Amino acid sequence: MALTDRRRVNGPALPTSIPFYDTPAPAPTVSRSPTELRKIFLKTSLTPPASGSAFYELTPPSTLKLTTSVYGPRPLPPSAGFSPTARVTAELKFAPFSTRGERRGYVRDGLERELSLQLQIAISGMVRASAYPKSGIDVFVTVLDCEGRIEEMIGVDAAEGEGERASLGAMQVLTGAITCASTAIADAGIECVDLVAAGMAALVEAKDGKDMVVMDPSPLDGWQVRAAVLVGYMAARDEITLVWSRGEVGVEEFTGVMESAVEVATKVRGVVNDAVRERLVALLKARGKKEGKKAITEDVEMTG
Amino acid sequence: MSLPTTCLPGQPLPVSPGTIPGPGTYISNSEITSTLTGLPSYNATTKTISVSPATTLPSPLPTISSTVLARVTRINPRQATVAILSGSDTFQGVIRQQDIRATEKDKVKVFESFRPGDVVRAKVISLGDLQNYYLTTAGNSLGVVMAVSEEGEEMVPVSWREMRGMKTGKVELRKVAKPI
C-alpha cells in the first residue's frame, strides 16, 4: 500500500466490464411446421488445394455453417501401419469464433473427439476403400458457426427439457458435417458405393401434452425435446451408416422417430446430388457438349 | 439401352445382360452401379460399361503394371530407393538389384545402373509392403531417362548402359531407357 500513488486518482486495480444493458432474448417460437425442412445451401470445390471440398449452410434464422476439405488418397505415414485398403480419417474442429458468447479454445476437446469419431463411422462406409490400397483419405470439417448451445451436450445440469434441446446443437453440427463431408468426398472424385446424407428427427412434447415427431428440429425452435435421433443414410443402397440417439424413448416410438430421420436424410440426399452434379454441369459446359445441356438445367434449385 | 448423360455415385446404370463393369462402376445387388460423379460410356466391342470422372484425383495411385516416373533418392548394393512422382504426392518405391534388368541379373551392380537424382521410367510389379512399391526396369523402354553426371552436367544416352556428358563427353554407366 505504501507504493500506491495517493496524489492522483488511480484507475481500478482489476479490469472491470462496461455496464451493458441487454434486453432479454425473446422466447423461442416455433415457426416451421413439424414436417417442414430448412433449406440447405451446399457448394463444392471452394478450397483449391484440397482434392475435394464443400461448404454447407442453413438458411436464416438458422446459423449453422461448415466447410469440409478432403485430402487424398495419399500415401499413409509409416507410423500408420500397413493397410490393404484406404484408411478414412475424419476430423471435426470448431472454429474459435463458432460458438455464441464464449470463444472456444484451439485444443481438441472431448466433444470434438466424439463428433470426429461419429463422423468417421458415418462416412467410412461410403468410400470404396478397396480401390485405394495403402493410402489415406483425410476429411477435415471446420465448423464456422453453430446454432444454439453446444456445450451442455449431455444436459446433466440443465433444466428439464433444456438439456435435450441443448444437445440438439451438437447433433445438428454432426448432421451438417456428415452431409458436407460426403459431398466433399464425391467432389474429390473418390470412388464411393453411394453418398451418405444425414437427417435428424426429434420426439417432442406438444402443447396438449402428447408426444409428436418433428423433422429437422432446430435448437432455436424451442420445442420441449424428449429424444432426438440422427441417422447417416445411403439412399440408393437403403443402408444406414450411423444412428445416434439422445434422450429417453420407447422402442416403438424410437422406430417412428428413426423413420422420420431417414425420410429427412432421403430429402437431404437430393440437395447433395444437385451440389455434386453442379461441377459436372460446369465440365460439360467446358467441353461444349450439347447433349449435356439438354439433359440438365443450368441452375439447380436446392430445396431441403 | 440408353445411358444417362451423367451419373452419380450409387446410381444404377441401365445395361443389357452380359455387360462387364469397367472402371468407375461396381456390382451392387446384381446391378451395375456407378461409383463416380461423371459421364457413363459403353464400349460395344469389349461390352464394358465405365464411368469417366468429372474430376481426376490430384495424385493417382500407382497400380500394378502401370508405368511410372520416379526419382532415385538413395542407393545401396541391394536396391535403389525411389520417389514415384504422382501429382502433388510422392510414393516411395524400391528397385531391387534383380529387377534392374532382364538378363544376367546376378551381375547387375546397382551403382552402375542408377545414381541418386536420376529420373527413371519404371513399371510397378507389386504394391509391396507398408513403405514401398516394388518397381522394375527390366525392359528396353525402362530405365534412366534423365541424369546428371558427378560434375552436375546433363547427360545424353549413348547406349543401353552408357550416358555421356553433353560438353565434357565424360561417360558414366547407367541402365538407360531406350529413348521414345
Side-chain angles (χ1 to χ4, degrees), chain A residues 58-113:
Chain A
L58 288 174
T59 46
S62 298
T63 49
L64 185 66
K65 289 176 195 72
L66 309 151
T67 63
T68 308
S69 35
V70 175
Y71 292 85
R74 55 187 180 185
L76 282 170
S79 59
F82 181 82
S83 167
T85 59
R87 196 167 290 176
V88 182
T89 57
E91 200 176 306
L92 186 140
K93 192 99 192 98
F94 287 95
F97 49 82
S98 62
T99 40
R100 289 289 138 89
E102 214 168 300
R103 279 172 77 85
R104 284 185 75 91
Y106 292 95
V107 186
R108 202 142 81 111
D109 62 5
L111 176 63
E112 283 174 354
R113 217 166 289 143

Side-chain angles (χ1 to χ4, degrees), chain A residues 81 134 191-192 237 279 287, chain B residues 26 35 39 55 127 129 132:
Chain A
K134 301 211 308 175
E191 287 198 40
C192 304
R237 286 167 70 92
R279 183 142 179 202
R287 283 193 191 170
Chain B
Y26 82 115
T35 58
L39 314 170
T55 51
L127 298 183
D129 54 16
N132 302 309

Side-chain angles (χ1 to χ4, degrees), chain A residues 1 38 42 46 55 64 70 87 105 108 156-157 173 176-177 183 190 217 228 233 245 250 255 261 263 270 294 303:
Chain A
M1 280 309 276
R38 286 165 293 172
L42 194 56
L46 292 170
F55 173 77
L64 185 66
V70 175
R87 196 167 290 176
R108 202 142 81 111
V156 243
D157 55 352
V173 167
T183 312
I190 293 166
Y233 180 64
S245 70
T255 320
E263 204 180 318
K294 207 165 45 180
T303 46

Side-chain angles (χ1 to χ4, degrees), chain A residues 44-273:
Chain A
T44 59
S45 313
L46 292 170
T47 314
S51 311
S53 58
F55 173 77
Y56 174 101
E57 186 176 346
L58 288 174
T59 46
S62 298
T63 49
L64 185 66
K65 289 176 195 72
L66 309 151
T67 63
T68 308
S69 35
V70 175
Y71 292 85
R74 55 187 180 185
L76 282 170
S79 59
F82 181 82
S83 167
T85 59
R87 196 167 290 176
V88 182
T89 57
E91 200 176 306
L92 186 140
K93 192 99 192 98
F94 287 95
F97 49 82
S98 62
T99 40
R100 289 289 138 89
E102 214 168 300
R103 279 172 77 85
R104 284 185 75 91
Y106 292 95
V107 186
R108 202 142 81 111
D109 62 5
L111 176 63
E112 283 174 354
R113 217 166 289 143
E114 156 105 25
L115 294 183
S116 300
L117 187 69
Q118 303 259 32
L119 176 65
Q120 188 171 326
I121 294 165
I123 58 172
S124 51
M126 96 180 211
V127 175
R128 207 169 154 225
S130 59
Y132 306 104
K134 301 211 308 175
S135 52
I137 296 167
D138 303 318
V139 179
F140 298 97
V141 178
T142 309
V143 183
L144 300 173
D145 204 348
C146 295
E147 186 177 14
R149 286 157 54 205
I150 303 292
E151 268 63 36
E152 296 109 281
M153 182 182 78
I154 323 286
V156 243
D157 55 352
E160 185 141 350
E162 180 74 7
E164 290 314 326
R165 197 201 302 165
S167 80
L168 278 186
M171 290 179 92
Q172 185 158 273
V173 167
L174 186 62
T175 314
I178 293 170
T179 307
C180 191
S182 134
T183 312
I185 290 172
D187 179 55
I190 293 166
E191 287 198 40
C192 304
V193 292
D194 198 356
L195 300 179
V196 179
M200 189 164 66
L203 192 70
V204 304
E205 204 172 302
K207 276 181 189 142
D208 54 2
K210 281 183 190 161
D211 288 338
M212 88 179 162
V213 178
V214 175
M215 286 177 171
D216 191 22
S218 161
L220 303 179
D221 282 348
W223 294 107
Q224 286 291 313
V225 178
R226 279 190 49 215
V229 178
L230 182 165
V231 295
Y233 180 64
M234 299 200 282
R237 286 167 70 92
D238 191 20
E239 200 173 298
I240 286 173
T241 57
L242 178 83
V243 181
W244 188 24
S245 70
R246 301 210 72 84
E248 277 179 39
V249 63
V251 178
E252 291 94 55
E253 287 169 314
F254 178 79
T255 320
V257 183
M258 201 169 87
E259 271 168 11
S260 297
V262 166
E263 204 180 318
V264 175
T266 312
K267 284 178 178 164
V268 172
R269 171 66 191 270
V271 182
V272 174
N273 281 356

Side-chain angles (χ1 to χ4, degrees), chain A residues 45 50-51 72-83 128 131-135 186-195 236-237 269 272-274 276-277 279-280 283-284 287 289 291-292 295-296, chain B residues 5-12 22-29 33-39 52-63 88-92 126-134:
Chain A
S45 313
S51 311
R74 55 187 180 185
L76 282 170
S79 59
F82 181 82
S83 167
R128 207 169 154 225
Y132 306 104
K134 301 211 308 175
S135 52
D187 179 55
I190 293 166
E191 287 198 40
C192 304
V193 292
D194 198 356
L195 300 179
R237 286 167 70 92
R269 171 66 191 270
V272 174
N273 281 356
D274 286 348
V276 169
R277 199 179 272 127
R279 183 142 179 202
L280 200 54
L283 175 90
L284 286 176
R287 283 193 191 170
K289 274 201 173 178
E291 63 267 30
I296 333 156
Chain B
T5 321
T6 62
C7 61
L8 297 173
Q11 186 177 332
T25 63
Y26 82 115
I27 294 172
S28 158
N29 294 330
T33 309
S34 168
T35 58
L36 288 167
T37 315
L39 314 170
S52 56
T55 51
T56 46
L57 291 170
S59 42
L61 298 181
T63 52
S88 51
D89 291 317
T90 56
F91 299 86
Q92 193 174 297
S126 159
L127 298 183
D129 54 16
L130 163 64
Q131 305 229 334
N132 302 309
Y133 285 85
Y134 282 61

Side-chain angles (χ1 to χ4, degrees), chain B residues 44-114:
Chain B
T45 49
T46 55
K47 284 194 165 185
T48 308
I49 190 159
S50 57
V51 177
S52 56
T55 51
T56 46
L57 291 170
S59 42
L61 298 181
T63 52
I64 289 175
S65 83
S66 64
T67 307
V68 296
L69 286 174
R71 175 171 284 119
V72 178
T73 50
R74 54 182 185 270
I75 56 171
N76 67 40
R78 289 185 314 283
Q79 64 186 38
T81 308
V82 299
I84 301 167
L85 311 168
S86 167
S88 51
D89 291 317
T90 56
F91 299 86
Q92 193 174 297
V94 291
I95 306 170
R96 295 172 301 176
Q97 184 200 10
Q98 63 266 38
D99 296 326
I100 289 176
R101 66 173 190 230
T103 55
E104 293 189 295
K105 288 179 181 184
D106 50 336
K107 288 183 184 153
V108 179
K109 289 200 174 90
V110 174
F111 65 91
E112 286 179 356
S113 308
F114 307 120

